[in-house]
Amino acid sequence: MSTQAVNGSVSRGKVLTLDTMNPNVKKVEYAVRGAIVQRALQIEKELKEGVKKPFTEVIKANIGDAHAMGQKPITFLRQVLALCSYPALLEDNKFPEDAKQRARRILAACGGHSIGAYSASQGIECIRQDVSRYIEKRDGGIPSNPDNIYLSTGASDAIVTMLKLLVCGEGHDRTGVMISIPQYPLYSAALADLAAVQISYYLDEDKCWSLDVTELKRAVTAARQHCNPRVLCIINPGNPTGQVQSRQCIEDVIRFAKEEHLFVMADEVYQDNVYAEGCKFHSFKKVLFEMGPEYSSTVEMASFHSTSKCYMGECGFRGGYMEVINMDPEVKAQLTKLVSVRLCPPVTGQALLDLVVNPPQPDEPSYSMFMKERTEVLAALAEKARLTEKTFNTVPGIICNPVQGAMYTFPRITLPQKCIDTAKEEGLAPDMFYCMRLLEEEGICLVPGSGFGQREGTFHFRMTILPPTEKLKDVLQKIRDFHVRFTKQFS
């Protein structure tokens, strides 16, 4: 390190440099907001400055951000949040009585009757009680204890907290965490940050991205040679792959977790987003308890939900929860201590979550409008899921599985050898090269499959199905035309 005298004192360069920073942070990658998104933002700036492009706007189909894509907020949710944020509106007769009742109840549970006050670290108690009742109703009466509910800053925060709690050991004894490939890059990023060992198990693309226990066994057996597998992460419905797991599959996974002595993390944030005929969402907790006490009293589990997805799409409020099952009481005390360091999740997000788990009831004035809006959002998503699959499968060189659930499609693309070679020369993954060209030529921002993981020699991209139907048709047509042009150019 160079040193030089400045005013008689010795200057020794910066304390924090790339060489002296936390090395784990350098290994963190998050494709959903990676290089391609940075370039998309740059192009948006260029368009505003009057730079001529072959398109007039950038369509960001890279992230599951419903409202940014034009989805309208649910009226009831925003009415109650408005009342909580500005309680003087409780005197306004424009707001329905059930919205006012919800707001009064939430405000009564807040310090100083203000959502600007900190809450308990685990979350406001009456909201945790509502979450428990919601889970019990969803799971057909299987009990849920509010003490096992932790409200969180979106589901992401709870997932990272749980991983932090689970990771330990050194060398061969370092914690291994099983994650699906393709996966949502939050998991690989969190594992890199925590210096945990990622154990990849592959979903079967030829069987609609299904999960096979044989593949789980292969992955865990291989991993035992170099780490200590302790955690199994499942995303259902799937992100980025949109599959919905069958009940039988979930039972098989739970049996596998028990046999291999693994802690299960069930990411269920898309639980209301199920579109395909014959598909149904089954919560891991419900299946666990229906398998009987041999499993329900031993398998340790945390399940996660969020206000960001489903029909709500309220990503910016950062509301979510985690339910822990069969957790050692002493560890639970440590978890409570860990979340208390962060003080509390955003209280606006907690309030929003309360409305999701305790929506208007049939005898309340807001019910009919709420149900109409909710049904319209989910029906439109189902229609867009079918449209996307159908359109992509008419393009030579694109194969798209049915979008059974969630908000994404993850089609497989065939890329010419010349494209693969050119990408390598430019130091890019071939599907990143493809997506960058699509962005530059058509103004459409997608995430390359390499950002989620994929089998060697295969290429994909993830696209959300969130744009309004007419815009989505336009996007699909542009991708179709681009793919044909690109393939011709590099053949």
Side-chain angles (χ1 to χ4, degrees), residues 415-434 437 486 489-491:
L415 298 178
Q417 189 57 46
K418 192 174 161 193
C419 154
I420 295 167
D421 297 340
T422 309
K424 276 186 183 151
E425 282 164 24
E426 294 190 18
L428 294 172
D431 47 13
M432 172 61 104
F433 177 73
Y434 175 95
R437 287 290 288 262
F486 182 90
Q489 187 187 343
F490 284 93
S491 290

Side-chain angles (χ1 to χ4, degrees), residues 47-298:
L47 285 169
K48 274 181 192 155
E49 288 160 5
V51 178
K52 286 279 171 281
K53 302 272 179 193
F55 47 86
T56 55
E57 66 167 335
V58 174
I59 297 168
K60 295 208 257 316
N62 60 298
I63 196 163
D65 190 349
H67 293 192
M69 287 276 107
Q71 183 180 308
K72 293 282 178 281
I74 300 291
T75 304
F76 180 76
L77 304 184
R78 289 300 183 90
Q79 284 175 330
V80 180
L81 288 168
L83 292 162
C84 288
S85 300
Y86 189 54
L89 292 173
L90 287 162
E91 305 309 315
D92 190 323
N93 59 15
K94 287 193 197 77
F95 289 83
E97 197 48 47
D98 53 347
K100 290 181 179 180
Q101 281 169 357
R102 294 292 198 296
R104 286 189 193 103
R105 181 169 176 263
I106 291 165
L107 289 169
C110 294
H113 289 246
S114 168
I115 58 166
Y118 287 131
S119 77
S121 299
Q122 207 171 328
I124 294 170
E125 189 174 2
C126 72
I127 299 178
R128 288 191 289 115
Q129 288 166 352
D130 286 347
V131 170
S132 274
R133 279 191 284 270
Y134 163 83
I135 293 169
E136 281 182 10
K137 190 178 173 192
R138 181 198 68 188
D139 292 345
I142 291 161
S144 172
N145 182 347
D147 286 346
N148 291 335
I149 305 294
Y150 288 78
L151 305 190
S152 58
T153 308
S156 305
D157 175 52
I159 289 165
V160 173
T161 298
M162 206 60 238
L163 286 169
K164 196 176 278 186
L165 210 61
L166 281 154
V167 171
C168 68
E170 298 296 330
H172 270 52
D173 200 37
R174 190 66 177 160
T175 296
V177 179
M178 301 185 72
I179 64 172
S180 62
I181 299 295
Q183 53 103 22
Y184 176 49
L186 163 71
Y187 290 89
S188 53
L191 297 182
D193 187 25
L194 295 166
V197 180
Q198 177 179 317
I199 304 169
S200 302
Y201 65 88
Y202 288 89
L203 302 175
D204 188 344
E205 184 170 10
D206 296 333
K207 292 184 182 165
C208 209
W209 299 111
S210 65
L211 171 52
D212 182 4
V213 170
T214 316
E215 168 60 12
L216 291 179
K217 285 179 178 158
R218 179 208 62 78
V220 82
T221 305
R224 288 202 194 282
Q225 309 303 309
H226 59 89
C227 70
N228 177 15
R230 301 179 69 215
V231 191
L232 171 60
C233 298
I234 308 279
I235 309 175
N236 178 49
N239 174 11
T241 42
Q243 84 288 7
V244 178
Q245 287 180 6
S246 68
R247 193 202 150 85
Q248 184 56 55
C249 173
I250 293 171
E251 278 192 28
D252 293 344
V253 169
I254 290 170
R255 276 192 202 93
F256 167 80
K258 184 177 190 296
E259 283 163 20
E260 299 292 342
H261 202 54
L262 299 171
F263 188 105
V264 176
M265 290 177 58
D267 179 340
E268 298 175 330
V269 302
Y270 297 99
Q271 56 190 259
D272 289 327
N273 298 109
V274 177
Y275 318 120
E277 283 291 315
C279 283
K280 187 179 179 224
F281 171 73
H282 301 276
S283 82
F284 262 75
K285 183 190 176 187
K286 182 174 192 272
V287 176
L288 174 70
F289 277 79
E290 287 175 352
M291 287 171 75
E294 181 193 347
Y295 295 93
S296 63
S297 63
T298 58

